[in-house]
Amino acid sequence: MTDAPAGTAEPTPESLEVIRKFAETYAQRTGTYFCSDPGVTAVVLKGLARHKDELGGALCPCRHYEDKGAEVSQAFWNCPCVPMRERKECHCMLFLTEDNAFRGDAQTISTEEIHASAG
Amino acid sequence: MSSAAAVTDASFEQDVLQSDVPVLVDFWAPWCGPCRMVAPIVDEISKEFEGKIKVFKLNTDENPNVASQYGIRSIPTLMVFKGGQKVDTVVGAVPKATLSGTISKYL
Protein backbone atom coordinates (compact mmCIF):
# COMPACT_ATOMS: atom_id res chain seq x y z
CA MET A 1 0.00 0.00 0.00
CA THR A 2 1.11 3.54 -0.71
CA ASP A 3 -1.28 5.28 1.67
CA ALA A 4 0.58 8.17 3.29
CA PRO A 5 0.41 8.19 7.10
CA ALA A 6 -0.41 11.92 6.98
CA GLY A 7 -3.54 11.24 5.00
CA THR A 8 -4.82 8.55 7.28
CA ALA A 9 -3.91 9.94 10.72
CA GLU A 10 -6.68 9.65 13.30
CA PRO A 11 -8.81 12.68 14.20
CA THR A 12 -8.67 14.10 17.72
CA PRO A 13 -11.24 12.54 20.10
CA GLU A 14 -12.71 16.02 20.68
CA SER A 15 -13.45 16.64 17.01
CA LEU A 16 -14.76 13.13 16.50
CA GLU A 17 -17.19 13.60 19.39
CA VAL A 18 -18.44 16.94 18.02
CA ILE A 19 -18.99 15.37 14.59
CA ARG A 20 -20.57 12.21 16.02
CA LYS A 21 -23.10 14.23 18.04
CA PHE A 22 -23.82 16.55 15.12
CA ALA A 23 -24.48 13.57 12.81
CA GLU A 24 -26.86 11.90 15.27
CA THR A 25 -28.82 15.10 15.86
CA TYR A 26 -28.92 15.97 12.17
CA ALA A 27 -30.11 12.48 11.13
CA GLN A 28 -32.92 12.63 13.68
CA ARG A 29 -33.91 16.17 12.70
CA THR A 30 -34.01 15.41 8.97
CA GLY A 31 -35.54 11.91 9.21
CA THR A 32 -32.50 10.34 7.56
CA TYR A 33 -30.61 7.18 8.53
CA PHE A 34 -27.04 5.96 8.64
CA CYS A 35 -25.82 3.37 6.14
CA SER A 36 -26.55 -0.31 6.77
CA ASP A 37 -22.76 -0.78 6.59
CA PRO A 38 -21.50 1.02 9.73
CA GLY A 39 -18.02 1.06 8.19
CA VAL A 40 -19.21 3.68 5.71
CA THR A 41 -20.62 5.88 8.49
CA ALA A 42 -17.53 5.46 10.66
CA VAL A 43 -15.07 6.38 7.91
CA VAL A 44 -17.03 9.46 6.87
CA LEU A 45 -17.36 10.67 10.48
CA LYS A 46 -13.60 10.27 10.95
CA GLY A 47 -12.97 12.08 7.67
CA LEU A 48 -15.16 15.00 8.71
CA ALA A 49 -13.41 15.18 12.09
CA ARG A 50 -10.01 15.11 10.37
CA HIS A 51 -11.00 18.03 8.16
CA LYS A 52 -12.25 19.91 11.23
CA ASP A 53 -8.85 19.36 12.86
CA GLU A 54 -6.84 20.26 9.76
CA LEU A 55 -8.93 23.00 8.21
CA GLY A 56 -11.24 24.26 10.94
CA GLY A 57 -14.31 23.10 9.03
CA ALA A 58 -16.08 19.79 8.39
CA LEU A 59 -15.45 19.66 4.65
CA CYS A 60 -16.99 16.66 2.85
CA PRO A 61 -14.39 13.84 2.63
CA CYS A 62 -16.00 12.39 -0.52
CA ARG A 63 -14.86 15.16 -2.85
CA HIS A 64 -11.59 16.13 -4.50
CA TYR A 65 -10.68 19.81 -4.10
CA GLU A 66 -8.08 22.01 -5.75
CA ASP A 67 -7.73 24.02 -2.53
CA LYS A 68 -9.26 22.65 0.67
CA GLY A 69 -8.71 25.88 2.64
CA ALA A 70 -10.61 27.93 0.06
CA GLU A 71 -13.42 25.36 -0.03
CA VAL A 72 -13.91 25.55 3.73
CA SER A 73 -14.24 29.35 3.47
CA GLN A 74 -16.71 29.01 0.62
CA ALA A 75 -18.71 26.55 2.79
CA PHE A 76 -20.69 24.88 -0.03
CA TRP A 77 -19.27 21.44 0.83
CA ASN A 78 -19.08 21.93 4.61
CA CYS A 79 -21.24 19.27 6.26
CA PRO A 80 -24.21 19.47 6.06
CA CYS A 81 -23.52 20.60 2.48
CA VAL A 82 -25.88 22.63 0.32
CA PRO A 83 -27.20 19.59 -1.65
CA MET A 84 -28.02 17.88 1.66
CA ARG A 85 -29.70 20.93 3.13
CA GLU A 86 -31.70 21.64 -0.01
CA ARG A 87 -32.49 18.17 -1.36
CA LYS A 88 -31.32 15.62 1.23
CA GLU A 89 -28.62 14.44 -1.17
CA CYS A 90 -25.55 13.04 0.58
CA HIS A 91 -23.29 11.30 -1.93
CA CYS A 92 -21.00 10.38 0.97
CA MET A 93 -23.81 8.09 2.19
CA LEU A 94 -23.74 9.49 5.72
CA PHE A 95 -27.38 10.65 5.73
CA LEU A 96 -29.65 8.36 3.71
CA THR A 97 -33.33 8.96 3.07
CA GLU A 98 -35.92 6.36 4.00
CA ASP A 99 -36.27 5.09 0.39
CA ASN A 100 -32.53 4.49 -0.05
CA ALA A 101 -31.65 0.79 -0.51
CA PHE A 102 -28.43 1.21 1.47
CA ARG A 103 -29.98 2.76 4.55
CA GLY A 104 -29.94 1.05 7.91
CA ASP A 105 -32.29 1.62 10.84
CA ALA A 106 -29.91 3.59 13.04
CA GLN A 107 -29.72 7.31 13.68
CA THR A 108 -27.11 6.84 16.39
CA ILE A 109 -23.57 5.46 16.47
CA SER A 110 -21.31 5.16 19.53
CA THR A 111 -17.65 6.12 19.63
CA GLU A 112 -16.82 2.45 20.19
CA GLU A 113 -18.78 1.46 17.08
CA ILE A 114 -16.95 4.11 15.05
CA HIS A 115 -13.54 2.76 16.05
CA ALA A 116 -14.61 -0.86 15.63
CA SER A 117 -16.14 -0.29 12.17
CA ALA A 118 -13.67 2.10 10.56
CA GLY A 119 -11.17 -0.72 10.13
CA MET B 1 -9.57 -0.51 -0.33
CA SER B 2 -9.54 -2.65 -3.41
CA SER B 3 -6.60 -4.95 -3.97
CA ALA B 4 -5.96 -3.38 -7.39
CA ALA B 5 -2.46 -2.03 -7.99
CA ALA B 6 -1.97 1.64 -7.14
CA VAL B 7 -1.28 4.13 -9.90
CA THR B 8 0.27 7.54 -9.17
CA ASP B 9 0.78 10.92 -10.80
CA ALA B 10 4.20 9.61 -11.86
CA SER B 11 3.10 6.26 -13.28
CA PHE B 12 -0.24 7.26 -14.80
CA GLU B 13 1.14 7.92 -18.30
CA GLN B 14 2.89 4.54 -18.47
CA ASP B 15 0.32 2.38 -16.68
CA VAL B 16 -2.92 3.88 -17.94
CA LEU B 17 -2.46 6.07 -21.00
CA GLN B 18 0.01 3.78 -22.76
CA SER B 19 -1.81 0.55 -21.94
CA ASP B 20 -2.57 -1.81 -24.82
CA VAL B 21 -5.84 -2.86 -23.21
CA PRO B 22 -8.66 -0.77 -21.68
CA VAL B 23 -8.01 0.41 -18.13
CA LEU B 24 -10.42 0.94 -15.23
CA VAL B 25 -9.22 3.49 -12.67
CA ASP B 26 -10.85 3.73 -9.23
CA PHE B 27 -10.33 7.27 -7.90
CA TRP B 28 -10.62 7.05 -4.12
CA ALA B 29 -9.70 8.90 -0.92
CA PRO B 30 -8.84 7.54 2.53
CA TRP B 31 -11.85 8.99 4.39
CA CYS B 32 -14.46 8.38 1.72
CA GLY B 33 -17.09 5.96 3.03
CA PRO B 34 -18.68 4.86 -0.27
CA CYS B 35 -15.19 4.15 -1.65
CA ARG B 36 -15.20 1.16 0.68
CA MET B 37 -18.36 -0.15 -0.93
CA VAL B 38 -16.90 0.18 -4.42
CA ALA B 39 -13.60 -1.53 -3.60
CA PRO B 40 -14.91 -5.14 -3.49
CA ILE B 41 -16.86 -4.55 -6.70
CA VAL B 42 -13.72 -3.29 -8.40
CA ASP B 43 -11.92 -6.41 -7.19
CA GLU B 44 -14.62 -8.65 -8.67
CA ILE B 45 -14.45 -6.76 -11.97
CA SER B 46 -10.69 -7.20 -11.97
CA LYS B 47 -11.12 -11.00 -11.73
CA GLU B 48 -14.01 -11.17 -14.18
CA PHE B 49 -12.14 -9.27 -16.90
CA GLU B 50 -8.68 -10.64 -16.15
CA GLY B 51 -6.44 -10.43 -19.21
CA LYS B 52 -8.91 -8.18 -21.02
CA ILE B 53 -8.52 -4.99 -19.00
CA LYS B 54 -6.18 -3.55 -16.38
CA VAL B 55 -7.49 -2.18 -13.11
CA PHE B 56 -5.79 0.46 -10.98
CA LYS B 57 -6.72 2.56 -7.97
CA LEU B 58 -5.61 6.17 -7.52
CA ASN B 59 -5.52 7.96 -4.16
CA THR B 60 -6.70 11.49 -5.01
CA ASP B 61 -5.16 13.01 -1.86
CA GLU B 62 -1.71 11.77 -2.82
CA ASN B 63 -2.06 12.26 -6.58
CA PRO B 64 -3.86 15.58 -7.03
CA ASN B 65 -2.44 16.25 -10.49
CA VAL B 66 -4.15 13.38 -12.28
CA ALA B 67 -7.32 13.89 -10.22
CA SER B 68 -7.48 17.57 -11.21
CA GLN B 69 -6.53 16.92 -14.82
CA TYR B 70 -9.53 14.63 -15.23
CA GLY B 71 -11.85 16.91 -13.29
CA ILE B 72 -12.49 14.52 -10.42
CA ARG B 73 -14.97 16.08 -7.98
CA SER B 74 -17.22 13.50 -6.38
CA ILE B 75 -15.47 10.44 -4.94
CA PRO B 76 -15.59 7.57 -5.66
CA THR B 77 -15.34 8.09 -9.41
CA LEU B 78 -14.50 5.24 -11.77
CA MET B 79 -13.07 6.02 -15.20
CA VAL B 80 -12.46 3.86 -18.23
CA PHE B 81 -9.47 4.67 -20.45
CA LYS B 82 -8.81 3.26 -23.88
CA GLY B 83 -6.02 4.17 -26.29
CA GLY B 84 -4.80 6.94 -23.99
CA GLN B 85 -8.22 8.61 -23.81
CA LYS B 86 -10.88 8.75 -21.12
CA VAL B 87 -13.89 7.04 -22.69
CA ASP B 88 -16.36 6.70 -19.81
CA THR B 89 -17.04 7.83 -16.24
CA VAL B 90 -19.13 6.30 -13.46
CA VAL B 91 -19.69 8.45 -10.36
CA GLY B 92 -20.55 7.04 -6.94
CA ALA B 93 -21.12 3.56 -5.58
CA VAL B 94 -22.83 1.53 -8.32
CA PRO B 95 -23.90 -2.12 -8.62
CA LYS B 96 -21.42 -4.51 -10.23
CA ALA B 97 -23.73 -5.06 -13.23
CA THR B 98 -23.63 -1.35 -14.05
CA LEU B 99 -19.86 -1.31 -14.00
CA SER B 100 -19.36 -4.50 -16.03
CA GLY B 101 -21.90 -3.18 -18.56
CA THR B 102 -19.91 0.01 -18.93
CA ILE B 103 -16.61 -1.84 -19.37
CA SER B 104 -18.04 -4.35 -21.87
CA LYS B 105 -18.71 -1.50 -24.29
CA TYR B 106 -14.98 -0.95 -24.70
CA LEU B 107 -13.65 -4.48 -25.12
Side-chain angles (χ1 to χ4, degrees):
Chain A
M1 294 294 286
T2 56
D3 304 349
T8 51
E10 288 289 311
T12 60
E14 293 77 18
S15 286
L16 188 60
E17 183 59 9
V18 168
I19 295 294
R20 186 185 73 80
K21 285 207 165 137
F22 148 74
E24 289 187 346
T25 307
Y26 193 80
Q28 288 157 21
R29 189 153 64 79
T30 55
T32 55
Y33 297 86
F34 294 152
C35 186
S36 55
D37 175 356
V40 171
T41 312
V43 166
V44 174
L45 292 177
K46 284 192 171 189
L48 288 169
R50 276 278 300 166
H51 276 165
K52 188 168 155 44
D53 287 337
E54 276 175 46
L55 310 163
L59 194 61
C60 176
C62 302
R63 303 270 306 171
H64 176 66
Y65 310 95
E66 304 292 321
D67 180 341
K68 286 187 177 184
E71 291 286 350
V72 167
S73 308
Q74 208 191 0
F76 190 95
W77 293 109
N78 290 352
C79 189
C81 66
V82 173
M84 181 62 207
R85 280 182 276 154
E86 290 186 348
R87 301 185 297 277
K88 293 192 182 179
E89 283 174 13
C90 173
H91 75 283
C92 225
M93 301 176 74
L94 178 58
F95 302 114
L96 299 172
T97 52
E98 200 153 12
D99 59 350
N100 190 301
F102 293 106
R103 83 159 174 96
D105 297 320
Q107 294 174 315
T108 58
I109 186 166
S110 70
T111 306
E112 292 72 27
E113 281 177 281
I114 293 172
H115 289 304
S117 308
Chain B
M1 277 310 110
S2 84
S3 56
V7 66
T8 65
D9 278 348
S11 64
F12 194 81
E13 169 79 26
Q14 176 74 38
D15 286 346
V16 178
L17 301 183
Q18 293 184 16
S19 169
D20 295 333
V21 294
V23 184
L24 177 71
V25 181
D26 172 11
F27 291 86
W28 70 285
W31 296 116
C32 158
C35 292
R36 294 164 57 110
M37 301 183 74
V38 164
I41 295 168
V42 168
D43 285 342
E44 285 177 37
I45 291 284
S46 181
K47 287 195 190 86
E48 186 179 324
F49 291 92
E50 198 171 0
K52 294 179 185 160
I53 65 165
K54 286 183 194 169
V55 179
F56 290 101
K57 61 183 172 187
L58 184 140
N59 180 331
T60 57
D61 279 355
E62 292 174 7
N63 303 282
N65 294 345
V66 168
S68 296
Q69 189 183 340
Y70 288 97
I72 302 297
R73 292 289 176 265
S74 189
I75 305 172
T77 289
L78 300 159
M79 278 185 184
V80 183
F81 291 84
K82 187 177 183 181
Q85 300 290 321
K86 178 187 81 174
V87 290
D88 221 324
T89 306
V90 176
V91 177
V94 294
K96 188 187 160 199
T98 306
L99 196 52
S100 47
T102 300
I103 291 164
S104 299
K105 289 193 278 177
Y106 303 102
L107 296 179

